[in-house]
Amino acid sequence: MATRRLLLLLKPFDVLPTHQSDNISHFRNPKVLKYLDSRRLVHKEAVNFCQNILRKKLVDWEAVYRFNLCRPIHDVDLVVTIGGDGTLLQASNFMDNSIPVLGVNSDPTQAKEVEDYNEEFDATRSTGYLCVATVNNFEQIIDDILENHARPSEVSRMSVTLNSKQLPTYALNDVLIAHPCPATVSRFSFSIKKEHQSCSSLVHCRSSGLRVSTAAGSTAAMLSAGGFAMPILSSDLQYIVREPIAPGPYSSLMHGIVKPEELMEIAWYCKEGLIYIDGSHLVHSVQHGDIIELSSKAPKLKVFLPSHLIS
């Protein structure tokens, strides 16, 4: 059997957000400090554990911190992300549809810990929605993959064009289009089209922005904003206008679906705006008169998913 080539994409060991680590003196509660240090150690131990497992296998692998990833991923047989959904999302932004990805949740939430600390702070750890592996089953899953006993699922991504130019990154989770200042009203219009023919009325909006998600992203910010969870293998897109101002006759069109054979065309009518792809790391500027098109006509991502998502 030929030696497989793997790329390990790692979440940094310091799990504190920058603004928290810069103001660590504000964390006076010893339990909070203990919890934060535990998260760092658990993640570090998970990385070491997975690397030790791979040293026993017929594989060549290279480990890269996710903040050092800056070019498309090529010439490997498998990408293994060790962190949570954010690390897998970041990997997907640099991948085409030829390489599968395996997500390892290095720091799963501990129910007892959440219960013990509930009255003092939120002790939720990593959700790992798209991560099929933890340290408890990593070796079995990696063996199944290397022996071709496991097959990845194909998850839809979103294509984004700006003024007819394809943006280089496909969204695995969602796209948010909004004014750079959250207190400023976003003005835009949109319609759903099929083969360049309108399928819906032109909808004019004043709101705090527009969010469009894939099926994979429908359980994240979309669900929190009032959307609904979609089957993970669906190719539909779901959109929601955030905090619409006096939608009037357009009320029923503030939330809806874009089918795989359709696209959503958005005309932007503010002096400035931003397109956020899969969070805040990938951002593109827009200006008055720009046209943005969103569709599911993007290369799918091969992901090894938890069985409960695809059963």
Side-chain angles (χ1 to χ4, degrees), residues 63-178:
V64 177
Y65 288 113
R66 70 185 191 188
F67 53 71
N68 287 330
L69 191 61
C70 58
R71 60 173 60 93
I73 298 172
H74 295 300
D75 301 323
V76 297
D77 300 300
L78 175 68
V79 174
V80 179
T81 64
I82 306 179
D85 288 327
T87 307
L88 193 151
L89 274 173
Q90 191 154 358
S92 75
N93 297 147
F94 293 87
M95 298 176 65
D96 58 20
N97 59 351
S98 65
I99 303 168
V101 58
L102 166 66
V104 181
N105 186 352
S106 63
D107 185 31
T109 294
Q110 302 172 21
K112 183 65 166 59
E113 183 178 60
V114 173
E115 180 182 346
D116 289 346
Y117 293 161
N118 185 51
E119 295 184 1
E120 299 176 69
F121 63 93
D122 180 6
T124 303
R125 295 183 178 228
S126 174
T127 301
Y129 176 71
L130 297 174
C131 298
V132 67
T134 65
V135 293
N136 296 325
N137 62 3
F138 175 73
E139 184 166 19
Q140 180 60 59
I141 290 175
I142 203 70
D143 283 345
D144 287 345
I145 293 172
L146 294 176
E147 295 168 10
N148 297 316
H149 294 158
R151 295 179 63 85
S153 298
E154 293 192 340
V155 177
S156 287
R157 292 187 285 185
M158 192 186 326
S159 170
V160 185
T161 68
L162 176 58
N163 298 326
S164 300
K165 182 179 180 181
Q166 174 77 53
L167 296 187
T169 303
Y170 302 112
L172 177 60
N173 226 21
D174 59 21
V175 166
L176 172 65
I177 307 170

Side-chain angles (χ1 to χ4, degrees), residues 235-301:
S235 295
D236 292 348
L237 302 178
Q238 182 179 171
Y239 72 86
I240 192 166
V241 177
R242 302 165 75 218
E243 303 168 328
I245 300 171
Y250 303 120
S251 293
S252 63
L253 300 174
M254 295 294 101
H255 180 204
I257 291 292
V258 182
K259 304 300 291 183
E261 66 274 13
E262 300 172 339
L263 63 83
M264 186 176 203
E265 183 178 275
I266 304 110
W268 186 252
Y269 294 126
C270 289
K271 183 178 179 181
E272 54 186 330
L274 295 173
I275 303 173
Y276 298 93
I277 298 178
D278 285 342
S280 61
H281 297 291
L282 293 169
V283 183
H284 297 270
S285 296
V286 291
Q287 58 188 0
H288 187 279
D290 282 350
I291 302 296
I292 305 135
E293 291 183 351
L294 306 175
S295 76
S296 57
K297 296 177 176 63
K300 295 190 176 183
L301 183 71

Side-chain angles (χ1 to χ4, degrees), residues 48-61:
N48 291 336
F49 176 86
C50 292
Q51 291 179 333
N52 286 334
I53 292 296
L54 293 177
R55 289 187 179 100
K56 301 187 297 182
K57 309 299 178 182
L58 190 62
V59 295
D60 290 330
W61 53 270

